[in-house]
Amino acid sequence: MTSRTDQTAIFEDVAKILAARSHTQAVILPDTRIGADLEIDSVEIFDIVMELEDLYNISLPVEAASDIDTVKDLVAKIGQLANVR
């Protein structure tokens, strides 16, 4: 598990992963919409979630993933799950 669990570090990790999979040149900000702004489809989102689960040694429930629209939603969920451990 990574020791980088503060919100800024989580955002940096998420932004790096999203940038590598984005189909646009959009700037990744907290309010950036993962699907609409970055053009990342549901299959790619699944892969991203698995990568983040491995990185933070967490498990993101499928139903929670459906509530994630923006980068800040994803960062908040990771932070919540990482701090529970």
Side-chain angles (χ1 to χ4, degrees):
M1 179 169 113
T2 183
S3 61
R4 295 172 39 102
T5 56
D6 64 81
Q7 294 292 314
T8 301
I10 294 170
F11 175 81
E12 290 171 0
D13 290 340
V14 168
K16 180 180 175 185
I17 291 168
L18 291 174
R21 296 187 182 259
S22 176
H23 299 280
T24 71
Q25 296 298 316
V27 175
I28 298 174
L29 301 170
D31 289 326
T32 301
R33 295 170 298 164
I34 297 168
D37 296 333
L38 300 178
E39 299 178 4
I40 296 175
D41 67 29
S42 59
V43 173
E44 291 170 306
I45 290 172
F46 180 76
D47 290 340
I48 290 166
V49 166
M50 287 182 18
E51 186 173 345
L52 290 165
E53 286 176 332
D54 289 345
L55 180 64
Y56 285 98
N57 194 27
I58 59 172
S59 179
L60 182 65
V62 174
E63 60 274 4
S66 65
D67 294 334
I68 295 171
D69 181 48
T70 64
V71 174
K72 72 179 170 188
D73 295 339
L74 183 54
V75 169
K77 184 53 74 175
I78 292 168
Q80 176 188 15
L81 294 170
N83 288 329
V84 169
R85 301 182 88 33

